[in-house]
Amino acid sequence: MIDQPLRRRTFLEKCIVRGLLVGAAAVSQSHLLAVWEEAQAKARKPTPPEVLGPFFKKGAPHHVNLRVPREPGMPLRISGKILDSRGEPVHDARIDLWHADYRGVYDVLGYRYRSNLRLENAAEYAVETIMPGHYPSRPAQHVHYLITAPGCQPLVTQLYFATDPFFEGDPDGNYQKQGIVHNRECIRPVTLLDENTSPRSAVSFDLILEKA
Ligand SMILES: [Fe+2]
């Protein structure tokens, strides 16, 4: 694997010398290298897919505040960018997002803790909700996503939390426990915000879509 900038640059220079990397227009070698490396640096690995699960429900409201007044649960803000695998912003995405309540129970009759976000011209999202609970058949806290966007392949994935006791403080070593989580990248660190004795948590989860 070529993973260090100098080695990568040396490798690319050899490609130019051998005619394996050629500029379509008359450009200098240094410009050709700069363009190539800039594009490579922006490239992002697509967000791994996860299962849809049995609790998806169409018709969720388009709200960004999913909290239910007077219901317990650690307040949680989830935010992120929507990009394609070249690192370019993706606009006009639709994001269905749903999760269990603090007890680990999904609302299958109504739309508690469910949202259908319409991002219009934006390429980032944010919702205010609570940390989901655990439920016996999938005992890792998670948030489900279904994302569609013009020019991109639909993505079904899930967000997990590095602080979840399920991972026993070691997401790297334990993420494959019980075969629930398939991709370490979907487990995100949690930031705890303690504002005047009112703690809140926050997680960043970018959504990287593959081009259609
Ligand atoms: Fe679930």
Side-chain angles (χ1 to χ4, degrees), residues 55 106 135 138 142 144 158:
F55 297 112
Y106 284 92
Y135 59 94
R138 300 195 72 240
H142 58 277
H144 292 269
Q158 296 181 38

Side-chain angles (χ1 to χ4, degrees), residues 7 17 26-27 38 42 46 52 54-55 69 74 88 92-93 101 109 120 123 129 132 158 166 205:
R7 289 183 58 201
V17 169
V27 296
E38 182 182 349
K42 287 174 65 178
L52 181 68
F55 297 112
M74 166 68 86
E88 300 294 337
D92 301 323
D101 67 13
L109 299 176
E120 306 301 340
T129 186
Q158 296 181 38
F166 178 80
F205 188 48

Side-chain angles (χ1 to χ4, degrees), residues 9 12 28-40:
R9 193 172 184 89
L12 290 172
S28 68
Q29 175 175 324
S30 60
H31 180 68
L32 188 58
L33 284 170
V35 170
W36 180 280
E37 291 188 326
E38 182 182 349
Q40 290 293 97

Side-chain angles (χ1 to χ4, degrees), residues 15 60 62 80 100 104 115-116 120 123 141 154 188 200 203:
C15 288
H62 310 308
S115 181
N116 174 261
E120 306 301 340
Q141 295 166 300
R188 306 298 300 158
R200 296 189 299 119
V203 169

Side-chain angles (χ1 to χ4, degrees), residues 154-190:
L155 172 66
V156 174
T157 191
Q158 296 181 38
L159 161 66
Y160 302 87
F161 304 92
T163 53
D164 190 339
F166 178 80
F167 300 118
E168 303 176 68
D170 183 10
D172 291 331
N174 294 326
Y175 78 92
Q176 293 178 306
K177 197 173 78 175
Q178 299 183 33
I180 294 173
V181 183
H182 301 103
N183 297 282
R184 172 64 179 87
E185 301 97 300
C186 292
I187 306 172
R188 306 298 300 158
V190 178

